[in-house]
Amino acid sequence: ETTPLEIMLNPTRFTGQMVTVHGTLTNLMTRGQMGGPGAVFDVMERGAFVRVLSLTPPPCSPGSEVTVNGRFLTTQSSGGQTLTNVIEAISMSCR
């Protein structure tokens, strides 16, 4: 378990590792808008955020509290874009 701020301060420390973050779901974009299934969104806590790449849309709406478990990567290509400091979601739940 970690926080978006800890990841932002030292992303290389978490590269390739499984992480769990909690925070507010923001900036939800369905991948249909970007070409492909799933969604990209941010998990924000205390002004810091980490981007999440998911094969399925999150089970809650923007502004909800969300917990994401997944693998952290410093770069990930998706839909023709390169995302930086992103978690590939394995599971998500809402509070």
Side-chain angles (χ1 to χ4, degrees), residues 18-49:
M18 296 301 293
V19 297
T20 300
V21 294
H22 313 281
T24 304
L25 190 156
T26 62
N27 299 325
L28 175 62
M29 281 193 304
T30 60
R31 300 274 303 284
Q33 294 170 300
M34 303 176 343
V40 174
F41 59 93
D42 296 334
V43 175
M44 183 171 286
E45 182 192 50
R46 290 188 233 142
F49 71 90

Side-chain angles (χ1 to χ4, degrees), residues 2-14 19-21 49-50 72 85-87:
T2 188
T3 66
L5 181 60
E6 286 180 290
I7 292 172
M8 282 180 61
L9 291 175
N10 192 1
T12 55
R13 175 179 154 214
F14 296 97
V19 297
T20 300
V21 294
F49 71 90
V50 65
F72 179 77
N85 296 341
V86 65
I87 296 173

